[in-house]
């Protein structure tokens, strides 16, 4: 009977190759792609199409698994700390392997594999870190890194001869030459660039997320998604103003607005949609109106009317904004 293996799949070349080298040994790789508000969440909107298309492209069976709930709890204080920015890579991997372990039976799988390469990343792919991930996820002996397995202790499937270690590639280090060569051999093209896709490695967004975690300890998944669109301002009373920079962002922010939010739009001229979240003073509406005015294409000396919409209070009214926010104010509130 064919042995099934769950492969932690990022969509990048290394995890595709991990699937391919196992397949070559008669193993059935089942690719699990984990998603959270920080990576891959947009795929959930077209789950079936994505799995089918990407699966066909690489000849793989792909399943998306949403780990938002567990990830949000972990990311605020990861036991192994953060990488260069707000990326908790070690705990992220522990979480993913744990999750894979918990569904192993459902997929009839015998072991788990990843596309990790010894020495490729400074923090999460050091030899000792790979051991920590294996041990702390509870997958001891069950976690195979096919691309680098020959540099690592034997796993159960290697000991049992289910996977033949001597036939696995021996890849290590930061270079990509061997991976490219293997990609050519398996006829894999058009794969995404390495290290893309996780917004926790983005310096600007990392700072913004950090501010969100500190300011609103009960932050939600929608906050983390909304933080990735438009300009953001934190007012003195801890109200959050989000401002679209273009039409698509206006629509996106509006679609992410909550019943408790206040939506502010210019009443008479073209301009941005602004979302006021967590407002704790009436003054916050006026300030959000002044920020909206500042980003409108109109003569800033003329009176400006803003439309205020609140689903929660069943409110729709127009206010006169006294003056647009100054550059200095915007700088002070921007995050
Ligand atoms: S870069 Fe992001 S998705 Fe990748 S391991 Fe680190 S935290 Fe997880």
């Amino acid at each position: 009977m064919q042995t099934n293996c769950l492969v932690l799949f990022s969509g990048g070349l290394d995890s595709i190759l991990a699937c391919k080298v196992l397949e070559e040994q008669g193993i059935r790789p089942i690719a699990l792609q984990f998603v959270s508000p920080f990576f891959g969440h947009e795929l959930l909107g077209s789950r079936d199409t994505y799995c089918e298309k990407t699966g066909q492209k690489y000849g793989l069976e792909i399943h998306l698994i949403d780990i938002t709930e567990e990830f949000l709890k972990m990311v605020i204080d990861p036991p192994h700390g953060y990488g260069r920015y707000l990326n908790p890579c070690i705990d992220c991997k522990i979480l993913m392997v744990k999750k894979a372990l918990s569904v192993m039976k459902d997929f009839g799988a015998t072991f788990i594999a990843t596309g990790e390469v010894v020495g490729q990343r400074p923090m999460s792919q050091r030899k000792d870190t790979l051991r920590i991930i294996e041990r702390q996820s509870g997958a001891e002996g069950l976690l195979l890194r096919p691309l680098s397995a020959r540099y690592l202790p034997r796993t159960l499937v290697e000991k049992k001869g289910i996977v033949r270690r001597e036939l696995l590639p021996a890849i290590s280090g930061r270079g990509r030459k061997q991976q490219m060569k293997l990609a050519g051999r398996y006829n894999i093209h058009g794969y995404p660039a390495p290290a893309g896709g996780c917004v926790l490695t983005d310096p600007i967004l990392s700072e913004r997320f950090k501010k969100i975690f500190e300011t609103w300890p009960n932050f939600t998944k929608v906050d983390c998604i909304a933080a990735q669109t438009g300009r953001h301002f934190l007012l003195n009373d801890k109200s959050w103003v989000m401002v679209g920079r273009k039409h698509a962002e206006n629509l996106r922010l509006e679609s992410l607005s909550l019943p408790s939010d206040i939506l502010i739009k210019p009443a008479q001229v073209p301009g941005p949609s602004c979302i006021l979240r967590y407002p704790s003073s009436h003054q916050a509406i006026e300030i959000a109106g002044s920020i909206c005015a500042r980003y409108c294409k109109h003569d800033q000396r003329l009176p400006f009317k803003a439309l205020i919409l609140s689903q929660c209070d069943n409110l729709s009214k127009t206010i006169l904004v006294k003056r647009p926010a100054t550059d200095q104010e915007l700088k002070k509130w921007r995050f």
Side-chain angles (χ1 to χ4, degrees):
M1 209 173 76
Q2 196 176 26
T3 302
N4 293 351
C5 166
L6 295 183
V7 184
L8 267 53
F9 184 78
S10 66
L13 178 60
D14 292 354
S15 54
I16 301 171
L17 291 176
C19 292
K20 291 292 159 193
V21 297
L22 290 173
E23 204 171 47
E24 205 170 48
Q25 294 207 22
I27 310 282
R28 176 181 161 221
I30 301 166
L32 300 186
Q33 184 162 1
F34 294 98
V35 300
S36 82
F38 308 104
F39 45 87
H41 72 89
E42 68 286 353
L43 304 178
L44 291 172
S46 55
R47 181 191 282 264
D48 292 347
T49 321
Y50 171 77
C51 292
E52 203 184 308
K53 276 199 169 170
T54 312
Q56 269 171 10
K57 184 172 174 187
Y58 303 123
L60 295 172
E61 174 184 340
I62 300 173
H63 298 264
L64 290 185
I65 298 189
D66 187 357
I67 50 165
T68 296
E69 208 182 306
E70 302 93 319
F71 201 94
L72 291 188
K73 281 185 200 146
M74 177 275 288
V75 73
I76 46 173
D77 187 16
H80 294 92
Y82 299 105
R84 185 156 179 210
Y85 298 106
L86 211 61
N87 46 316
C89 294
I90 299 177
D91 292 291
C92 171
K93 288 190 174 157
I94 292 174
L95 175 62
M96 289 179 184
V97 177
K98 263 191 191 163
K99 191 78 189 177
L101 263 182
S102 74
V103 295
M104 218 159 80
K105 259 197 193 154
D106 304 338
F107 288 97
T110 308
F111 67 106
I112 296 165
T114 74
E116 287 161 307
V117 167
V118 172
Q120 186 170 83
R121 299 262 161 81
M123 180 167 113
S124 62
Q125 299 194 13
R126 285 197 327 241
K127 232 180 193 179
D128 56 332
T129 316
L130 294 181
R131 282 290 291 156
I132 291 173
I133 295 169
E134 181 183 345
R135 250 187 270 127
Q136 297 194 1
S137 61
E140 225 162 333
L142 294 175
L143 183 55
L144 177 75
R145 279 82 174 209
L147 305 185
S148 282
R150 284 162 65 180
Y151 299 113
L152 297 166
R154 283 174 197 273
T155 56
L156 285 176
V157 279
E158 289 165 283
K159 286 179 189 163
K160 288 183 182 166
I162 297 171
V163 172
R164 288 178 60 192
R165 186 181 173 90
E166 69 280 9
L167 298 180
L168 293 172
I171 304 179
S172 71
R174 300 174 75 91
R176 306 284 303 157
K177 260 195 191 154
Q178 283 173 279
Q179 282 97 319
M180 310 287 261
K181 212 169 143 191
L182 266 186
R185 197 175 118 206
Y186 293 122
N187 208 13
I188 300 165
H189 304 284
Y191 44 86
C198 176
V199 292
L200 293 170
T201 59
D202 179 288
I204 294 169
L205 288 175
S206 280
E207 283 302 313
R208 191 173 295 155
F209 291 129
K210 206 162 139 197
K211 198 65 142 192
I212 291 170
F213 301 167
E214 287 164 6
T215 314
W216 304 285
N218 296 324
F219 71 94
T220 64
K221 160 186 166 174
V222 185
D223 291 338
C224 300
I225 296 171
Q228 297 169 45
T229 299
R231 298 182 175 95
H232 295 262
F233 303 90
L234 171 60
L235 309 186
N236 294 347
D237 67 349
K238 293 193 178 174
S239 305
W240 178 1
V241 183
M242 312 172 194
V243 182
R245 288 171 297 189
K246 49 187 177 182
H247 185 60
E249 289 190 353
N250 293 341
L251 295 180
R252 175 89 179 129
L253 287 178
E254 284 185 34
S255 74
L256 290 168
S257 71
L258 306 169
S260 54
D261 289 340
I262 295 172
L263 174 62
I264 297 154
K265 289 165 141 201
Q268 292 162 323
V269 290
S273 295
C274 307
I275 305 287
L276 177 59
R277 183 161 294 176
Y278 306 129
S280 56
S281 68
H282 186 75
Q283 208 202 355
I285 299 180
E286 282 175 29
I287 298 177
S290 76
I291 295 175
C292 183
R294 176 64 185 73
Y295 287 109
C296 277
K297 287 189 187 97
H298 82 302
D299 186 339
Q300 300 275 315
R301 292 162 304 185
L302 294 176
F304 176 82
K305 282 185 181 168
L307 191 62
I308 311 291
L309 302 157
S310 161
Q311 200 180 321
C312 202
D313 300 329
N314 204 8
L315 173 86
S316 168
K317 66 171 182 179
T318 306
I319 60 162
L320 186 67
V321 175
K322 286 181 200 132
R323 62 169 179 85
T326 62
D327 286 352
Q328 228 175 357
E329 285 169 328
L330 293 180
K331 202 172 157 198
K332 185 174 79 186
W333 297 321
R334 189 92 190 245
F335 79 106

